[in-house]
Amino acid sequence: DAGVTQSPTHLIKTRGQQVTLRCSPKSGHDTVSWYQQALGQGPQFIFQYYEEEERQRGNFPDRFSGHQFPNYSSELNVNALLLGDSALYLCASSLVRGNTEAFFGQGTRLTVV
Amino acid sequence: KQEVTQIPAALSVPEGENLVLNCSFTDSAIYNLQWFRQDPGKGLTSLLLIQSSQREQTSGRLNASLDKSSGRSTLYIAASQPGDSATYLCAVPDTGRRALTFGSGTRLQVQP
């Protein structure tokens, strides 16, 4: 059983560019959440997708957007990249019902230069 | 707004010691609490999930406790090993939401 998989593992982009990160949830999970983790900090919630809709959103600007596909996989898009967007981006999957565990992928390290 | 604090921020111990990591949260109306391990530059590995109705959860040398009324959880690691060296994070769902709020973590180093 594959866990949560993210791609790519590492990415280097230039300020002002756009980036797309991808996530495949754990088998059987229907909910995908995205987090941003700066060095030395805990992850910060960006948004959560369920049934192909954004259900909850953290304190992130509209430059951050996402999508969930019918197979539950998800994308995170960031437009007009800033140096401050450099971070580890984590995807988590879970089930919408019940007090279930969140499982995380290995993350995508984004560096903006 | 839920806030999560972890103490200490860093800890260095010799191999074989038993140790306790602390996590506190401000809003006790939580569904559950989850402990994670994170190796440098890597993703998060779930260690233990404690439901709000539980007081303890055990997995191998790890034992996590939860006291909702006082807003506290502890992660106990028995007979620590160098392979336990990592950052340990606790997280709780925000009130009424399922987004997780994390502490900043405890960076553990176990000396051989």
Side-chain angles (χ1 to χ4, degrees), chain A residues 24-47:
Chain A
S24 292
K26 181 178 170 64
S27 177
H29 282 185
D30 55 12
T31 301
V32 173
S33 302
W34 287 91
Y35 293 80
Q36 180 194 67
Q37 186 179 25
L39 204 60
Q41 301 296 317
Q44 299 291 317
F45 174 73
I46 303 174
F47 42 54

Side-chain angles (χ1 to χ4, degrees), chain A residues 13-90:
Chain A
K13 289 288 189 178
T14 304
R15 272 182 302 176
Q17 285 189 316
Q18 179 265 343
V19 68
T20 297
L21 310 182
R22 296 177 175 81
C23 172
S24 292
K26 181 178 170 64
S27 177
H29 282 185
D30 55 12
T31 301
V32 173
S33 302
W34 287 91
Y35 293 80
Q36 180 194 67
Q37 186 179 25
L39 204 60
Q41 301 296 317
Q44 299 291 317
F45 174 73
I46 303 174
F47 42 54
Q48 183 182 84
Y49 276 84
Y50 169 66
E51 289 187 335
E52 303 178 48
E53 289 189 16
E54 182 183 297
R55 299 292 178 169
Q56 298 161 359
R57 188 177 184 92
N59 189 26
F60 280 79
D62 292 344
R63 297 187 297 108
F64 290 77
S65 63
H67 189 79
Q68 186 180 34
F69 299 94
N71 66 353
Y72 306 116
S73 67
S74 176
E75 288 182 350
L76 164 64
N77 301 293
V78 187
N79 295 322
L81 284 167
L82 305 173
L83 295 179
D85 294 332
S86 296
L88 181 67
Y89 288 85
L90 296 163

Side-chain angles (χ1 to χ4, degrees), chain B residues 20-23 35 50 63-67 72-76:
Chain B
V20 175
L21 309 181
N22 297 294
C23 171
W35 281 94
I50 312 178
N63 175 274
S65 67
L66 175 63
D67 185 344
R72 293 180 182 178
S73 176
T74 61
L75 179 67
Y76 175 82

Side-chain angles (χ1 to χ4, degrees), chain A residues 35 37 40-43 45 48 56-58 88 90 95-107 109, chain B residues 31-32 34 36 38 41-49 51-52 89 96-105:
Chain A
Y35 293 80
Q37 186 179 25
Q41 301 296 317
F45 174 73
Q48 183 182 84
Q56 298 161 359
R57 188 177 184 92
L88 181 67
L90 296 163
L95 285 168
V96 71
R97 304 197 184 284
N99 294 332
T100 59
E101 276 182 277
F103 289 86
F104 282 76
Q106 80 280 14
R109 169 67 63 186
Chain B
Y31 291 111
N32 56 45
Q34 203 165 347
F36 295 90
Q38 185 174 33
K42 303 296 185 182
L44 276 60
T45 299
S46 179
L47 297 174
L48 289 164
L49 172 74
Q51 305 291 358
S52 58
L89 295 150
R97 302 165 53 176
R98 293 182 178 269
L100 293 176
T101 297
F102 285 83
S104 295

Side-chain angles (χ1 to χ4, degrees), chain B residues 14-85:
Chain B
E15 182 177 4
E17 276 205 3
N18 302 324
L19 53 100
V20 175
L21 309 181
N22 297 294
C23 171
S24 61
F25 46 94
T26 55
D27 190 333
S28 61
I30 59 172
Y31 291 111
N32 56 45
L33 183 143
Q34 203 165 347
W35 281 94
F36 295 90
R37 169 186 171 135
Q38 185 174 33
D39 293 295
K42 303 296 185 182
L44 276 60
T45 299
S46 179
L47 297 174
L48 289 164
L49 172 74
I50 312 178
Q51 305 291 358
S52 58
S53 59
Q54 296 177 311
R55 284 194 167 270
E56 283 190 4
Q57 190 69 261
T58 298
S59 176
R61 293 183 294 107
L62 305 179
N63 175 274
S65 67
L66 175 63
D67 185 344
K68 279 185 59 178
S69 61
S70 67
R72 293 180 182 178
S73 176
T74 61
L75 179 67
Y76 175 82
I77 303 177
S80 58
Q81 303 171 358
D84 294 331
S85 298

